[in-house]
């Protein structure tokens, strides 16, 4: 096979991977739409009562939500993100460039936690989570009713006010008795009777006012505790219906992505059967570098190009080389697309033949496969993904092929 023909074939392979990558973009769009619906559904299941940690209660060894942890890891959520940055477990200068960026990173991390939590609401594991919240709120209400500081303070203030008012009454009686008799020493009466009467009366008023204030604060705390308990009870009561809604949303999403996944898998297998003799699929991640070595005449065969790629991988020049390779591929696609069209059409015919040989079950995914094997779509995908590295293409391909 001549060198130019080899290059055309490699570009055709890139076009095929680009098509699958575009299907990955469609899957991401479906995922985003699903996340929006899940976020809307979870509005009533968020708030002050809900935390998004996998171990939401400190020192709680009984409840640890493994499935929540897996979802959080899937979406890249880091638990105790701010604490880990502060403790140096995550280097601040590696994750952020400025304070404002730091806040943005924290918000991004929180959003990832919410995304995982919204999906987790479909799992039975969350029953223990919300029942624990309910139990916690019940204990909080009982503690507030029976052991609230304001309640004890109000009772104490009431008792003291009664004591002070009683003492004031005693002095009042004594003052009345003195004035009823022979009252000669007004100064002594003022110092020893009237002044204490005023002091104890004022103290009685102060403590009765404080008692009323503490009683009002106690009632507010009780009402707040009851409100939180009511909310927690509502969460537990409505969890089964919410769980079914989340499952329905996820099922709808999976039903949309499943045919995309199936068709991409079949298409990928056809690509592998078609192009493995030319370039082993384990090297497809370095497709750009192979094309680059051939385009720039550093190599005359795929084997020589792969040897040069191996050398590049062993040096620190690889990132710069990848950038150069991507720029070169963008240029070649724009410059020589007309030349590549014939190869792409021939590639489509070969892939269709491979699919027929593999006896693909077309029921339910025939329209998806026909879209993937259309030469026009292949050409459009090649141009659309021209500035995406082959490594990124393979990452998208693997995501949609092994979607779960």
């Amino acid at each position: 096979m001549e060198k130019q023909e080899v290059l055309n074939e490699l570009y055709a392979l890139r076009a095929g991977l680009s098509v699958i990558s575009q299907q990955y973009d469609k899957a991401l769009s479906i995922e985003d739409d699903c996340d929006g619906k899940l976020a809307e559904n979870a509005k009533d299941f968020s708030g002050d009562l809900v935390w998004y940690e996998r171990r939401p209660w400190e020192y709680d060894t009984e409840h640890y939500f493994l499935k929540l942890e897996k979802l959080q890891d899937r979406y890249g959520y880091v638990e105790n993100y701010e604490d880990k940055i502060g403790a140096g477990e995550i280097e601040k200068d590696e994750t952020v460039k400025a304070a404002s960026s730091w806040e943005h990173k924290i918000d991004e991390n929180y959003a990832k936690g919410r995304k995982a939590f919204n999906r987790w609401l479909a799992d039975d594991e969350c029953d223990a989570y919300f029942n624990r919240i309910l139990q916690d709120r019940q204990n909080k209400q009982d503690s507030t009713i029976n052991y609230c500081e304001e309640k004890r303070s109000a009772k104490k203030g009431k008792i003291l006010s009664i004591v002070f008012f009683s003492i004031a009454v005693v002095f009042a009686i004594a003052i009345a008795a003195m004035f009823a008799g022979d009252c000669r020493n007004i100064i002594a009466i003022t110092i020893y009777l009237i002044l204490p009467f005023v002091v104890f009366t004022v103290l009685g008023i102060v403590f009765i006012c404080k008692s009323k204030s503490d009683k009002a604060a106690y009632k507010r705390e009780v009402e707040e505790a009851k409100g939180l308990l009511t909310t927690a009870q509502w969460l537990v009561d409505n969890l089964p219906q919410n769980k079914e809604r989340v499952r329905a949303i996820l099922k709808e999403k999976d039903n949309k992505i499943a045919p995309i996944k199936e068709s991409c898998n079949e298409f990928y297998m056809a690509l592998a059967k078609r192009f493995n003799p030319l370039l082993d699929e384990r090297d497809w991640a370095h497709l750009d570098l192979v094309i680059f070595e051939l385009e720039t005449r550093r190599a005359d065969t795929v084997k020589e190009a792969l040897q040069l790629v191996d050398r590049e991988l062993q040096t620190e020049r690889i990132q710069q080389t990848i950038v150069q390779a991507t720029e070169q591929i963008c240029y070649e696609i724009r410059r020589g697309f007309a030349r590549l069209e014939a190869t792409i059409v021939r590639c489509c015919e070969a892939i269709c033949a491979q699919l027929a040989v593999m006896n693909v079950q077309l029921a339910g995914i025939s329209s998806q496969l026909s879209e993937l094997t259309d030469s026009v779509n292949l050409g459009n995908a090649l141009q659309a993904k021209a500035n995406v590295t082959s490594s990124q293409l393979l990452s998208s391909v693997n995501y949609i092929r092994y979607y779960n």
Side-chain angles (χ1 to χ4, degrees):
M1 191 182 292
E2 293 184 4
K3 182 178 177 181
Q4 188 57 54
E5 190 177 351
V6 169
L7 278 170
N8 291 345
E9 289 288 308
L10 292 176
Y11 273 113
L13 170 58
R14 201 179 199 281
L17 296 177
S18 297
V19 165
I20 299 178
S21 179
Q22 284 192 325
Q23 296 301 306
Y24 160 76
D25 294 340
K26 286 185 181 180
L28 280 188
S29 177
I30 294 171
E31 285 264 7
D32 291 342
D33 181 59
C34 171
D35 288 334
K37 292 179 180 178
L38 290 174
E40 182 66 27
N41 176 76
K43 277 184 177 179
D44 293 332
F45 283 79
S46 59
D48 295 337
L49 291 182
V50 180
W51 293 64
Y52 307 106
E53 309 296 328
R54 60 194 65 157
R55 192 190 297 278
W57 296 281
E58 193 173 6
Y59 310 120
D60 183 358
T61 57
E62 181 181 352
H63 296 92
Y64 186 81
F65 305 109
L66 183 61
K67 293 181 180 178
L68 176 59
E69 179 183 10
K70 288 181 178 178
L71 279 171
Q72 290 172 342
D73 290 341
R74 176 182 174 183
Y75 292 108
Y77 174 74
V78 179
E79 193 172 33
N80 300 321
Y81 188 75
E82 295 178 70
D83 294 339
K84 288 180 179 179
I85 291 178
E89 293 180 43
I90 300 175
E91 289 296 332
K92 184 178 176 182
D93 57 351
E94 291 180 4
T95 56
V96 293
K97 299 299 181 185
S100 59
S101 179
W102 185 14
E103 295 298 325
H104 178 65
K105 289 286 185 182
I106 291 171
D107 291 341
E108 279 185 345
N109 185 63
Y110 179 77
K112 292 173 184 176
R114 283 296 303 269
K115 183 184 289 188
F117 182 85
N118 294 345
R119 287 172 180 255
W120 184 61
L121 289 174
D123 198 280
D124 290 332
E125 189 180 68
C126 65
D127 290 344
Y129 181 89
F130 286 99
N131 278 303
R132 180 59 187 267
I133 290 177
L134 177 62
Q135 183 61 49
D136 182 60
R137 291 303 115 186
Q138 181 66 62
N139 294 339
K140 178 68 175 177
Q141 178 182 275
D142 294 342
S143 175
T144 300
I145 291 174
N146 297 314
Y147 306 107
C148 181
E149 181 63 32
E150 281 76 7
K151 180 183 180 180
R152 293 197 296 270
S153 181
K155 187 175 181 180
K156 181 180 178 180
K158 184 177 181 180
I159 292 171
L160 286 174
S161 67
I162 291 172
V163 170
F164 288 133
F165 278 134
S166 299
I167 295 174
V169 168
V170 171
F171 279 101
I173 293 172
I175 292 170
M178 291 295 294
F179 277 104
D182 186 11
C183 179
R184 295 180 181 179
N185 196 340
I186 299 297
I187 296 176
I189 293 174
T190 301
I191 295 174
Y192 294 109
L193 294 179
I194 296 179
L195 187 58
F197 167 76
V198 172
V199 169
F200 283 114
T201 300
V202 170
L203 286 173
I205 293 171
V206 168
F207 277 98
I208 194 65
C209 291
K210 186 177 185 306
S211 175
K212 289 182 178 180
S213 175
D214 289 338
K215 188 174 182 179
Y218 166 69
K219 286 183 177 180
R220 284 195 300 272
E221 285 205 32
V222 169
E223 288 302 316
E224 182 180 349
K226 286 182 177 179
L228 293 175
L229 177 60
T230 301
T231 302
Q233 185 66 59
W234 184 92
L235 292 174
V236 171
D237 292 343
N238 287 272
L239 184 59
Q241 302 94 300
N242 184 79
K243 194 181 299 180
E244 291 304 315
R245 287 197 300 270
V246 175
R247 288 173 178 173
I249 293 171
L250 292 174
K251 184 178 180 181
E252 179 187 13
K253 180 260 302 179
D254 289 339
N255 289 341
K256 290 180 179 178
I257 292 180
I260 297 177
K261 175 184 175 181
E262 291 295 326
S263 61
C264 286
N265 264 319
E266 299 293 352
F267 188 69
Y268 181 88
M269 296 301 292
L271 286 177
K273 200 169 184 67
R274 173 71 176 80
F275 292 105
N276 258 343
L278 178 63
L279 182 67
D280 190 281
E281 62 183 297
R282 288 169 292 186
D283 293 314
W284 288 3
H286 308 307
L287 177 59
D288 290 350
L289 295 176
V290 173
I291 293 175
F292 178 70
E293 304 295 356
L294 292 169
E295 288 276 12
T296 56
R297 298 184 180 86
R298 287 173 170 82
D300 293 319
T301 65
V302 171
K303 183 178 180 181
E304 291 177 6
L306 287 172
Q307 289 172 345
L308 291 174
V309 168
D310 287 338
R311 291 178 194 172
E312 291 287 351
L313 291 171
Q314 294 170 7
T315 69
E316 297 179 355
R317 298 177 300 173
I318 188 65
Q319 291 297 331
Q320 181 181 356
T321 307
I322 289 174
V323 171
Q324 289 177 342
T326 305
E327 291 175 352
Q328 176 71 21
I329 286 170
C330 288
Y331 171 74
E332 286 298 329
I333 289 174
R334 288 193 299 268
R335 184 178 68 89
F337 185 72
R339 168 176 54 81
L340 293 171
E341 281 186 311
T343 305
I344 290 173
V345 171
R346 190 171 68 252
C347 170
C348 288
E349 293 172 351
I351 292 172
C352 290
Q354 294 290 350
L355 290 171
V357 170
M358 292 163 61
N359 193 24
V360 178
Q361 299 295 322
L362 297 178
I365 61 171
S366 58
S367 61
Q368 291 282 347
L369 278 173
S370 63
E371 180 181 340
L372 265 60
T373 55
D374 182 81
S375 60
V376 174
N377 288 336
L378 274 166
N380 291 338
L382 179 61
Q383 295 185 80
K385 296 286 182 174
N387 61 343
V388 178
T389 67
S390 54
S391 177
Q392 291 170 327
L393 286 178
L394 259 294
S395 177
S396 302
V397 168
N398 288 330
Y399 177 91
I400 190 62
R401 286 187 65 218
Y402 302 110
Y403 174 82
N404 184 6

